Amino acid sequence: MPVTVTRTTITTTTTSSSSGLGSPTILGSPRALTQPLGLLRLLQLLSTCVAFSLVASVGAWVGFMGNWCMFAWCFCFAVTLIIIIVELAGLQQRFPLSWRNFPITYACYAALFCLSASVIYPTTYVQFMAHGRSRDHAIAAIAFSCIACVAYATEVAWTRARPGEITGYMATVPGLLKVVETFVACVIFAFISDSYLYKHKPALEWCVAVYAICFILAAVAILLNLGDCTNMLPIPFPSFLSGLALLSVLFYISAMILWPLYQFDEKYGGQPQRWRDANCRNRHIDSVCPWDCRLAVAILTAINLLAYVADLVYSARLVFVRV
């Protein structure tokens, strides 16, 4: 949805957009790569390529966590390459998704992907490696992953919506928060992939349902904007966003109460201390013990609750005016 952001007012319009860097983007020309945003994307491309190449050259990854890090770097490299090709060839109008919304949405996801890889890879794999060539390559990969994360975050900061600027909804604060909400939900799903953590406890099953419902609703909002399909809803899109944020806040409040209560309170069958969990006494490279998963989900639930509260506040302040 093209929008003009003026303080707390968002006006839908059909005017063409700028790059968000104070000057129009040069489209369909190699000169696009000489602009600040083009150079930044080249840095993203190079850093992600070097990161996964260093790890792949020595086979320094194993298990789910290692596979995730490799996927994050390879995915970011591939999509960044596609974006560069599209801009060099001037194919924005033929791209199947809204070009107003896609680049910044992807940049936000990529920043989170690289951030997660930069944290997960050293903590779950590199610290267990013996000193040598493989470990040196892995450490270098972490450095380039951090560079990529900063580069993607910089793109988000450069291209996000500013007062008086014509842009897409995904460049606004609520739009970017939708990205954070869905990403955090995906991380939660990874930690609760073992049904042992919540099975046979209705309160915990409700928490899992909350994570799934809120994720689906936020993902629908993102997809509607990426596909320029916001007018397909039976209700006005602003009302949908406000209702989504309010419902998600209420749902996450319940999960924020129930998950820690049933996971860490002995009265409800919880395990308050990590050392009591027999599965956590031995550390493994490619696994996370159940108690750590429970704690991680509790922390991520709090993070997503804060994100939804901020989303609700910003959505309530926005006014959509179609022209």
Side-chain angles (χ1 to χ4, degrees), residues 151-168:
Y152 284 116
T154 301
E155 179 179 346
V156 173
W158 280 358
T159 58
R160 66 181 178 83
R162 289 175 174 80
E165 183 180 17
I166 299 173
T167 184

Side-chain angles (χ1 to χ4, degrees), residues 1 10 12 169 178 230 233 235-245 315-316 318-322:
M1 174 181 287
I10 292 186
T12 60
Y169 170 78
K178 294 287 189 301
T230 55
L233 291 172
I235 60 175
F237 187 61
S239 300
F240 170 75
L241 293 176
S242 298
L244 184 158
S315 296
L318 295 178
V319 178
F320 290 73
V321 181
R322 186 174 298 277

Side-chain angles (χ1 to χ4, degrees), residues 41 83 99-109 155-161 167-168 170-172 176 179:
R41 285 176 176 157
I83 290 176
W99 200 254
R100 294 177 184 272
N101 292 296
F102 176 74
I104 191 168
T105 303
Y106 159 70
C108 191
Y109 273 120
E155 179 179 346
V156 173
W158 280 358
T159 58
R160 66 181 178 83
T167 184
M170 294 305 300
T172 65
L176 295 174
V179 174

